[in-house]
Amino acid sequence: MAAPGCSAPGLWVRGSGQCLGSLFTLFSKPLCSAAAAASQPLDAQRLAERLRAQKQQQKTKEPAPTNPVQRRVRELVRFTEQLQRVHPNVLAKALSRGIVHQDKELVVINKPYGLPVHGGPGVKLCISDVLPVLAKILHGPKAKPLHLCHRLDKETTGVMVLAWEKEVAHQVQELFRTRQVTKKYWAITVRVPMPEAGVVDIPIVEKEAQGQQHHHKMTLSPSYRMDDGKMVRVRSSRNAQRAATQYQVLSSSLSAALLELQPITGIKHQLRVHMSFGLDCPILGDHKYSDWNRLAPQKLSVGILKKLGLQQSKARHLPLHLHACQLTLPALQPQKEELALFCRPPRYFVNSLRRLGLKMPSQDHSADEEAAQPGAQ
């Protein structure tokens, strides 16, 4: 279309926006732009800045990768960045398409990767911001906002429970606080834990990382340590919190495994810390807890990089492969039964399983889980 303020009759075809002839194309645009700049200097300035930014972006744009895995990684990074820039209505619509259960009391969504639950420094958009819009999509313009019942980390995908009424949300929150809710996660780990099933019961404490001022991590705070071959009791930190995680290997290869994790307690980053520092099997894509002494992208073996089709320099784009796959809520009312909810893992998770030679649980198992949720999609 012509720039604002342009009035050159006969140069543009009505309704099509196409210029009549290359000669008019060359000379009409500068004249129109000059007229627009004279009448609306601020709009012209913004237009010029936008054009400069587009040209600069085209110059610095990297060539598209030919490897399909690298293309998927780039698409995932771009999608995550876009989630922070979209309009709240667009995000609410996307969340509504991920609903796995809905009734008069609860709405359960499949939380996407890279989307924070609450606001904070650097967060432009989060799930709590769009709950009023999501409620209106589901129940009409007069619907009251939904309420969060619990939270998941920004990088974690899977089952997330919302409530229509504040009282119901408080009831579900109390069930989470008193450990009456059964939670199961799937995680792809680097290396295979030994033994293949067990419980990690080691307290966790938050500390400043060595050589990294103002950067804190959760880490283990064991009660005993080995000293010259002898077991020595360690004075426990007053800030340490008891943490226990049950795990089981569902599928494994020489260099990776698919684990089912069940947190018995609910400490911050518990699953990631227990897998990395407790079992020496960090979760794939966990760039924070794969190494305690440094803050850098996860270091992967040559074998895993080859199977994923990645270079180590691109490993920083790997997302965290931790998915909240199942959640079982006790009955909220005496007349009702417990609610078993199941969410399928995201596409990147499934693709990584296939590339690493790991198998998903049997289809019969998934079907049994989904049969318990009449609102599943």
Side-chain angles (χ1 to χ4, degrees):
M1 294 180 64
C6 176
S7 56
L11 295 183
W12 300 91
V13 179
R14 185 182 302 274
S16 67
Q18 298 296 322
C19 182
L20 293 177
S22 59
L23 185 63
F24 290 124
T25 303
L26 291 173
F27 292 99
S28 63
K29 287 185 178 180
L31 292 174
C32 293
S33 300
S39 60
Q40 297 181 0
L42 291 179
D43 292 342
Q45 181 179 356
R46 293 194 189 99
L47 179 61
E49 292 175 352
R50 185 181 303 173
L51 291 174
R52 292 193 198 100
Q54 290 177 353
K55 290 181 179 179
Q56 185 65 26
Q57 185 178 6
Q58 291 176 355
K59 291 180 180 179
T60 58
K61 187 176 180 180
E62 297 180 2
T66 57
N67 185 288
V69 178
Q70 293 182 3
R71 283 202 302 268
R72 285 195 296 269
V73 170
R74 173 172 289 189
E75 290 172 0
L76 184 65
V77 173
R78 187 178 301 141
F79 173 71
T80 304
E81 294 173 347
Q82 289 173 349
L83 283 176
Q84 293 293 305
R85 296 196 298 264
V86 299
H87 192 276
N89 292 359
V90 177
L91 178 57
K93 189 68 175 179
L95 293 178
S96 70
R97 291 194 293 267
I99 290 178
V100 296
H101 175 84
Q102 182 180 354
D103 57 31
K104 295 181 179 180
E105 296 177 327
L106 302 175
V107 174
V108 182
I109 63 174
N110 189 349
K111 177 190 170 298
Y113 169 80
L115 184 62
V117 176
H118 297 286
V123 175
K124 298 179 181 178
L125 192 61
C126 59
I127 289 180
S128 60
D129 290 339
V130 301
L131 293 184
V133 183
L134 179 59
K136 292 178 181 178
I137 292 175
L138 300 177
H139 269 194
K142 296 183 179 180
K144 296 181 180 179
L146 287 156
H147 302 275
L148 291 168
C149 296
H150 64 119
R151 61 166 295 168
L152 291 174
D153 289 341
K154 174 183 176 181
E155 297 87 358
T156 306
T157 61
V159 184
M160 170 156 279
V161 182
L162 312 172
W164 286 109
E165 301 293 338
K166 186 177 294 186
E167 293 75 14
V168 177
H170 290 163
Q171 184 180 359
V172 176
Q173 290 167 3
E174 183 65 15
L175 292 175
F176 274 95
R177 190 187 67 82
T178 55
R179 311 297 173 211
Q180 298 184 55
V181 179
T182 302
K183 297 177 287 183
K184 291 184 179 179
Y185 293 75
W186 284 346
I188 300 179
T189 60
V190 178
R191 295 183 290 273
V192 183
M194 291 297 293
E196 293 191 350
V199 176
V200 182
D201 187 0
I202 308 175
I204 291 177
V205 66
E206 186 171 17
K207 290 184 178 180
E208 187 175 72
Q210 297 177 0
Q212 303 169 24
Q213 292 184 353
H214 310 300
H215 182 76
H216 290 76
K217 290 183 180 182
M218 309 300 288
T219 189
L220 300 179
S221 180
S223 301
Y224 293 88
R225 64 178 175 85
M226 296 297 295
D227 188 2
D228 293 334
K230 296 181 180 180
M231 189 78 70
V232 179
R233 185 173 179 83
V234 179
R235 179 182 296 179
S236 60
S237 170
R238 65 177 64 184
N239 297 322
Q241 297 174 286
R242 181 178 178 268
T245 301
Q246 185 176 352
Y247 73 92
Q248 179 181 358
V249 175
L250 301 180
S251 178
S252 63
S253 63
L254 292 176
S255 56
L258 171 64
L259 270 60
E260 181 181 85
L261 307 176
Q262 185 172 339
I264 301 173
T265 56
I267 307 304
K268 176 182 177 182
H269 296 169
Q270 170 183 322
L271 300 179
R272 298 164 66 178
V273 172
H274 274 170
M275 292 305 101
S276 183
F277 303 147
L279 295 177
D280 193 27
C281 296
I283 298 175
L284 182 65
D286 194 346
H287 307 292
K288 182 169 185 175
Y289 289 105
S290 292
D291 193 315
W292 169 255
N293 294 317
R294 68 191 188 110
L295 184 62
Q298 186 179 46
K299 184 71 173 178
L300 297 172
S301 67
V302 176
I304 289 183
L305 289 172
K306 185 176 181 179
K307 289 181 179 179
L308 294 177
L310 292 176
Q311 299 175 352
Q312 180 59 48
S313 60
K314 301 295 183 181
R316 66 184 184 278
H317 297 308
L318 271 176
L320 181 70
H321 287 63
L322 179 62
H323 176 70
C325 63
Q326 183 179 343
L327 189 148
T328 304
L329 278 174
L332 299 179
Q333 298 179 7
Q335 298 83 5
K336 293 189 175 182
E337 298 179 351
E338 68 177 17
L339 184 63
L341 304 161
F342 179 82
C343 274
R344 294 184 179 276
R347 184 179 301 176
Y348 74 84
F349 194 106
V350 177
N351 287 335
S352 295
L353 284 176
R354 178 177 54 83
R355 287 230 164 216
L356 294 171
L358 302 173
K359 296 181 180 180
M360 287 273 289
S362 66
Q363 294 296 324
D364 294 337
H365 172 78
S366 299
D368 291 342
E369 299 290 355
E370 291 182 307
Q373 40 176 327
Q377 296 180 348

